[in-house]
Amino acid sequence: MHAPASSQYLLELYAVEDIGLVPIIEKPFFARITDAFFFHPTNSKKDLLFISTDEGKYCFLSFNSDLCSFQTLHSGSLYDRSGRISDVGTLTVVDPTSTIISQFRYHGRLECLVNLKSVQHKTSPPSALTLSMDDLTIIDLQYLYVSEDFSEYPVFALIVQDTKSSRSLKLFQVSIEQRQILPISYEYAVDNDALILIPVELPIGGIIVVSSSSLKQNERLSHAQHLLQQKYFVLRGLTKQEFFLEINTLTGLDLVYLGETSPASVMRYIDNGYVYIGSHTADSQIVLIHQDPIFISDSGTESFVEVKEVLMNLAPLLDSTVVDLDKQDQGQLITSSNADRNGCLRIIRNGIGIVDIAELDVSGLMKVFAIRSGFHAEFDDTLLLSFLSETRIFRVIDDLEEIGEDSHWEISESTLFAGTMMDFIVQITETQIIMLNTFSRERIGEWKPKFDHTDPTSEN
């Protein structure tokens, strides 16, 4: 599983591993990235990455895991010099069937990219449509999960604001054949501070309207109200608070306090309870949501949220200066970073960072040797640990397993050197030199010095 992350002019791709997010590749962009998300076309074997910039340009990318590089499938521009930029910024969404990508960029217009079923082929570029809209001020835009009985066209919902600053929820259909937006005779008044729409998947369906002080589920659009179904969402508070929203078709909406995280600008669910918290004013985090509260030693309180990984964030960068703290003619950058109660001073210097993947508590360890299964093998499969009076050997078969006394290795004394040479493995101990077959690991030869003592002076 891969997760994209954009930071202004830089696109980063991470792999979701057991140890957290592992960076794979990063690519600079010559424009500010406004949207970056994966979607899965109907006829595609893998997800594609859609990116749009503040200049109105867009591209479809495919990631090649073998070459560890991006391939540009299609690119284009939705820029119009005569259009007036929306006051709320760019809103870009994809419908649940991945057939339409819509972008609200200019007042009174909706830009749509259609024919995405074969977009993974370079010979099948998407088509661009410009659809007129009567509403000028749009707060949020989301496509809904609807059944064919409700509509045969893709349906999206809008939070619109009129000239009196009153906000309402409206529904529309997109007809690609007629090249127009078809209104649905439905309008629902919402709070004047309503900001976010959350579409709910079928069989529950419907949509949740989130404001700064309330949550509302639209029941008219909801299906299967009498089925015992539940849906879960993670919401953020205005500060560090994080909430757990449960939709139960029998009891309605239930809101549970989870704990505290960094102030979230964006949240994405990864898998198995892990959630990515992206913050503009503090460090981003990877958190694990537990079913039962756990004790947090740092705060001395119980919480459902456990911080698994912290991703350093320097923004917003208010001020900086270069100083030589150690008087070694090597400048170090001191920054005034983050905001509000997360504000801090950070010292940045050139160096090499080490990430701990695993830890093994051993005492008396003198040397460690990594051994390959063959001279031309790509990976090591055996780990040899040399102690003062013994040698312990671990080999990766299905899992990391320790090799016992019945092996052909010499484990009763310390190992001075071990390595792969052509089609055999050499182990040098204090009293002998042993040769083993790389595949069967059987002993094929040995040599003992005249005075029962070896002392290698060179390893190559």
Side-chain angles (χ1 to χ4, degrees), residues 39-45 97-99 116-118 120:
F39 73 102
H40 190 87
T42 305
N43 300 326
S44 178
K45 295 181 180 180
T97 60
S98 297
T99 57
L116 303 181
K117 292 184 178 181
S118 302
Q120 70 272 16

Side-chain angles (χ1 to χ4, degrees), residues 40-323:
H40 190 87
T42 305
N43 300 326
S44 178
K45 295 181 180 180
K46 59 181 180 180
D47 293 344
L48 302 182
L49 181 61
F50 175 81
I51 296 176
S52 63
T53 67
D54 60 341
E55 298 178 352
K57 298 181 180 180
Y58 67 88
C59 63
F60 293 87
L61 303 180
S62 175
F63 180 70
N64 189 324
S65 57
D66 297 331
L67 301 178
C68 195
S69 63
F70 287 106
Q71 178 186 11
T72 303
L73 300 177
H74 307 285
S75 62
S77 177
L78 299 175
Y79 174 76
D80 186 357
R81 60 185 303 176
S82 63
R84 186 165 69 92
I85 299 294
S86 169
D87 298 331
V88 298
T90 302
L91 301 175
T92 306
V93 292
V94 58
D95 80 307
T97 60
S98 297
T99 57
I100 301 178
I101 293 179
S102 298
Q103 184 177 92
F104 177 71
R105 176 179 172 85
Y106 302 106
H107 280 283
R109 293 162 49 180
L110 185 68
E111 311 290 342
C112 296
L113 296 175
V114 298
N115 299 332
L116 303 181
K117 292 184 178 181
S118 302
V119 74
Q120 70 272 16
H121 304 296
K122 285 191 173 183
T123 57
S124 302
S127 302
L129 297 178
T130 300
L131 307 178
S132 300
M133 302 178 64
D134 296 332
D135 299 289
L136 299 180
T137 305
I138 296 177
I139 307 301
D140 196 15
L141 163 69
Q142 290 292 336
Y143 276 96
L144 305 184
Y145 297 89
V146 296
S147 63
E148 295 181 356
D149 298 336
F150 185 85
S151 174
E152 60 179 334
Y153 301 115
V155 177
F156 65 88
L158 298 176
I159 296 180
V160 299
Q161 179 174 296
D162 58 19
T163 56
K164 298 180 180 180
S165 298
S166 298
R167 298 184 181 182
S168 59
L169 175 67
K170 294 184 178 181
L171 300 182
F172 296 90
Q173 303 175 99
V174 178
S175 175
I176 301 177
E177 294 79 8
Q178 302 179 30
R179 303 176 68 89
Q180 63 178 348
I181 295 177
L182 306 177
I184 298 177
S185 58
Y186 173 81
E187 185 172 349
Y188 180 77
V190 297
D191 296 337
N192 290 339
D193 57 350
L195 294 174
I196 300 174
L197 295 175
I198 303 178
V200 183
E201 296 183 13
L202 297 175
I204 297 178
I207 193 167
I208 300 173
V209 182
V210 182
S211 65
S212 60
S213 58
S214 65
L215 296 168
K216 294 182 180 180
Q217 182 184 15
N218 190 290
E219 297 181 355
R220 180 176 176 181
L221 300 179
S222 183
H223 303 274
Q225 285 290 324
H226 301 288
L227 296 178
L228 185 59
Q229 297 285 345
Q230 294 180 336
K231 283 291 179 182
Y232 305 99
F233 300 90
V234 180
L235 304 176
R236 66 176 177 87
L238 294 178
T239 54
K240 289 186 174 183
Q241 295 176 332
E242 192 175 60
F243 298 94
F244 189 72
L245 175 63
E246 173 184 339
I247 301 180
N248 191 313
T249 54
L250 298 182
T251 61
L253 299 179
D254 297 324
L255 196 63
V256 179
Y257 173 74
L258 292 180
E260 290 191 355
T261 64
S262 296
S265 301
V266 62
M267 293 191 298
R268 291 292 183 268
Y269 181 73
I270 300 175
D271 198 6
N272 295 328
Y274 285 88
V275 179
Y276 170 74
I277 307 293
S279 178
H280 284 311
T281 60
D283 290 337
S284 300
Q285 297 173 330
I286 302 294
V287 302
L288 175 62
I289 300 178
H290 295 271
Q291 294 183 353
D292 300 313
I294 62 172
F295 180 76
I296 305 298
S297 58
D298 295 339
S299 61
T301 60
E302 290 188 344
S303 174
F304 289 90
V305 178
E306 179 184 4
V307 179
K308 287 294 187 179
E309 186 176 356
V310 177
L311 306 175
M312 188 179 68
N313 173 36
L314 299 179
L317 194 62
L318 303 180
D319 196 8
S320 64
T321 184
V322 178
V323 297

Side-chain angles (χ1 to χ4, degrees), residues 439-456:
F439 300 101
S440 64
R441 301 299 166 93
E442 295 181 355
R443 187 176 299 192
I444 58 177
E446 62 181 30
W447 176 81
K448 293 183 179 181
K450 183 177 181 180
F451 300 102
D452 293 334
H453 181 74
T454 59
D455 185 15

